[in-house]
Amino acid sequence: MITGSELITLVRDADFFNEMQALKKDFLKVDPAFMDLSDDDFISIILITPSIGIALANGSVSHYEEITLRRKARKLSRRSFFQKNDPLAPALKYLSYNFSEWENRFYKLIKITMHSSLKENNVVLETLKNPSSLTGDLKRDILNAPFIFVKFISFLFMEEDDDLLNERAITEVELEKIKEIGTALEIDNVPIFNAFCESFVVRSGSVID
């Protein structure tokens, strides 16, 4: 998973920070309870937006998924863990119920920080886009892929890092949501992302709360 230290490094990009502050200003207007959200709190919410979208693909966020989302957010913003009144909880709850209103604006910020990180090294970026860089063995390809891209894929779309190397079951609507988010982030043309999507075992039905 992305750690707090890695998060700080990723968001040094000026374009991201300016866009983030503008979005945060609008978000804080929604509810006075959100005013205690720090920049790190808000960035952690941004980065778990895809997880919320995937959870909602089945119709609603289950109790288990809600706990998982909070845990992921706190891994990035540990300050909230020690606060008596955790500002992340009401913010995540609100976002889950009003997702369509904010979804694309949050994805835009993820796209900015992801692409700015990858563009810093042209060799890495070209390798990532090259279909011949794949061996046909997803596990090996993940281990050979740029570290930062694997970090993003792991955090944005999975519950735990090792899920990328294990067989993973998913509903069809969840998989379609992952592909939709990939298009929004403009990584749908990255061969290893497509191989990642094809590696899921599609199960019928929905997740039971």
Side-chain angles (χ1 to χ4, degrees), residues 114-156:
M114 177 182 280
H115 286 254
S116 64
S117 299
L118 293 170
K119 287 177 181 177
E120 290 179 1
N121 189 321
N122 289 330
V123 175
V124 169
L125 186 60
E126 290 305 314
T127 300
L128 196 60
K129 291 180 177 179
N130 189 350
S132 64
S133 64
L134 299 185
T135 66
D137 182 341
L138 181 64
K139 292 182 180 180
R140 183 177 294 275
D141 291 335
I142 286 172
L143 293 173
N144 291 334
F147 175 77
I148 189 58
F149 188 76
V150 172
K151 279 282 189 177
F152 270 118
I153 294 300
S154 175
F155 190 85
L156 297 179

Side-chain angles (χ1 to χ4, degrees), residues 63-79:
H63 180 62
Y64 170 77
E65 288 168 333
E66 184 178 343
I67 292 173
T68 300
L69 289 169
R70 290 189 194 181
R71 185 171 65 241
K72 287 181 75 170
R74 284 176 174 144
K75 283 184 178 180
L76 297 181
S77 185
R78 296 192 180 276
R79 183 185 76 96

Side-chain angles (χ1 to χ4, degrees), residues 45-132:
I45 292 173
I46 292 169
L47 290 176
I48 65 170
T49 302
S51 296
I52 297 174
I54 296 166
L56 286 170
N58 289 300
S60 63
V61 177
S62 70
H63 180 62
Y64 170 77
E65 288 168 333
E66 184 178 343
I67 292 173
T68 300
L69 289 169
R70 290 189 194 181
R71 185 171 65 241
K72 287 181 75 170
R74 284 176 174 144
K75 283 184 178 180
L76 297 181
S77 185
R78 296 192 180 276
R79 183 185 76 96
S80 295
F81 185 81
F82 298 103
Q83 287 181 297
K84 183 177 180 180
N85 296 314
D86 180 2
L88 285 172
L92 291 174
K93 194 174 185 90
Y94 164 80
L95 190 56
S96 295
Y97 283 104
N98 300 273
F99 194 66
S100 61
E101 180 181 346
W102 299 91
E103 180 179 14
N104 290 331
R105 295 183 68 183
F106 278 71
Y107 291 160
K108 178 182 177 182
L109 281 166
I110 296 173
K111 181 175 71 174
I112 289 173
T113 190
M114 177 182 280
H115 286 254
S116 64
S117 299
L118 293 170
K119 287 177 181 177
E120 290 179 1
N121 189 321
N122 289 330
V123 175
V124 169
L125 186 60
E126 290 305 314
T127 300
L128 196 60
K129 291 180 177 179
N130 189 350
S132 64

Side-chain angles (χ1 to χ4, degrees), residues 22-45:
L23 179 55
K24 182 183 176 185
K25 183 178 179 181
D26 289 343
F27 193 78
L28 294 186
K29 293 176 183 177
V30 172
D31 192 320
F34 300 167
M35 294 303 296
D36 289 333
L37 287 169
S38 68
D39 285 350
D40 282 0
D41 290 332
F42 192 66
I43 292 168
S44 71
I45 292 173

